[in-house]
Amino acid sequence: MIIEARNISKTFKNGNKTLQVLKDINFSVRQNEMVALMGVSGSGKSTLLHILGLINKPDSGDIYFLNNKVEFKDKKLLAKIRNENIGFVFQFYSLISELNVIENVMLPSIIKNSSYKKDRAMQLLNSVGIERDMAYKMVYKLSGGEMQRVALARALMNNPDLVIADEPTANLDKTSSIDIVTTMRNINLEERKAFIIATHSEEIALMCDRVFIINGGTISEKNN
Ligand SMILES: Nc1ncnc2c1ncn2[C@@H]1O[C@H](COP(=O)(O)OP(=O)(O)OP(=O)(O)O)[C@@H](O)[C@H]1O
Ligand SMILES: [Mg+2]
């Protein structure tokens, strides 16, 4: 398994109200697998992805990353795994608007060991379908679909084992959505990286190996 969640629970407190979003969830993804995570708005997809991405800590339960139990107390190790083993793509691109395209893509390698791997960044941009002459454009000048491709290139920069994408196509039209997920699928198949994609789109779910649905705090696998 690339990642495994065992008996994960998560509750949020809003004033004196408590909301249990995840109830004793068990979920795992194999290496090389691409899975979709579905469920209505507010069902807990992002909450689960943040825990799987080691961005947030569960109240109880454990995460195993590459069969090692994650110690959420070890912030330094968490940061290292997030930077080197997991790539993130979010709904709102989360690129740095003060930087150009290639600088955004190189960021994870700069964080890792201060290396400016321009050739690799160029190659990744090419593999996600961004033209060479766009590499020095400021990112605020790009369309949503282009930004999401750049975000995907950046997520791949440190050659992660797992890419977590939280509604990566929510702001894109249908054609761009299918395009970007097709690109993800090709990378998944060719480079044997695992992908977990939260989505509301049945069409995208059909492109995945397995589909999971969160409902009422629990998760179940859907028969495709
Ligand atoms: N940090 C937080 N503090 C309090 N409540 C939160 C927090 N994060 C999420 N929630 C609540 O937990 C529930 C699940 O939210 P989550 O963002 O995981 O849903 P989602 O399935 O990703 O929804 P969407 O499809 O709209 O993105 C929601 O009711 C949300 O308001
Ligand atoms: Mg969400």
Side-chain angles (χ1 to χ4, degrees):
M1 295 293 169
I2 178 75
I3 195 160
E4 196 176 348
R6 293 194 198 159
N7 307 105
I8 294 294
S9 294
K10 184 77 187 175
T11 300
F12 290 116
K13 284 197 175 66
N14 281 325
N16 51 13
K17 273 195 201 155
T18 61
L19 175 69
Q20 188 169 9
V21 179
L22 304 176
K23 297 176 184 166
D24 207 22
I25 279 197
N26 287 289
F27 170 75
S28 56
V29 178
R30 300 180 196 108
Q31 267 138 14
N32 319 328
E33 210 176 15
M34 179 153 147
V35 306
L37 191 57
M38 301 190 80
V40 297
S41 197
S43 58
K45 300 180 296 297
S46 297
T47 303
L48 179 59
L49 290 186
H50 290 154
I51 292 171
L52 295 173
L54 316 184
I55 293 170
N56 218 336
K57 188 178 164 306
D59 296 336
S60 58
D62 292 308
I63 299 293
Y64 290 76
F65 190 82
L66 286 168
N67 304 317
N68 293 312
K69 185 170 151 181
V70 173
E71 295 299 342
F72 279 87
K73 277 185 216 129
D74 190 346
K75 303 285 181 217
K76 212 172 152 185
L77 182 62
L78 286 188
K80 185 174 155 67
I81 297 173
R82 281 197 305 263
N83 176 244
E84 298 179 17
N85 302 98
I86 306 178
F88 294 94
V89 181
F90 297 103
Q91 179 175 351
F92 296 107
Y93 327 119
S94 51
L95 297 172
I96 302 200
S97 55
E98 289 78 9
L99 299 179
N100 69 26
V101 166
I102 195 159
E103 287 164 346
N104 267 278
V105 177
M106 285 189 296
L107 265 188
S109 70
I110 296 167
I111 291 167
K112 184 177 170 188
N113 52 19
S114 317
S115 63
Y116 293 75
K117 294 187 174 155
K118 215 169 237 182
D119 290 345
R120 172 160 174 81
M122 267 308 180
Q123 191 191 327
L124 283 168
L125 284 169
N126 180 56
S127 69
V128 300
I130 293 287
E131 302 279 337
R132 238 189 142 72
D133 60 5
M134 215 178 256
Y136 295 93
K137 249 187 162 176
M138 297 303 285
V139 295
Y140 71 84
K141 294 182 181 167
L142 305 184
S143 74
E146 290 162 349
M147 283 195 210
Q148 208 52 308
R149 290 177 177 281
V150 174
L152 177 58
R154 183 182 61 182
L156 298 167
M157 185 67 202
N158 285 344
N159 199 18
D161 308 291
L162 168 68
V163 175
I164 291 178
D166 193 355
E167 298 193 41
T169 65
N171 294 299
L172 306 181
D173 65 32
K174 203 168 163 182
T175 311
S176 311
S177 299
I178 298 299
D179 276 0
I180 189 118
V181 179
T182 303
T183 304
M184 289 182 182
R185 184 57 158 167
N186 290 338
I187 290 164
N188 158 252
L189 295 171
E190 283 160 20
E191 298 186 28
R192 308 182 70 71
K193 292 183 194 305
F195 279 75
I196 306 174
I197 305 175
T199 183
H200 289 285
S201 159
E202 288 288 345
E203 209 168 345
I204 287 170
L206 284 171
M207 296 166 72
C208 296
D209 296 306
R210 292 192 294 157
V211 179
F212 292 87
I213 298 178
I214 304 193
N215 181 21
T218 64
I219 192 165
S220 55
E221 191 175 339
K222 189 181 169 200
N223 296 318
N224 245 350

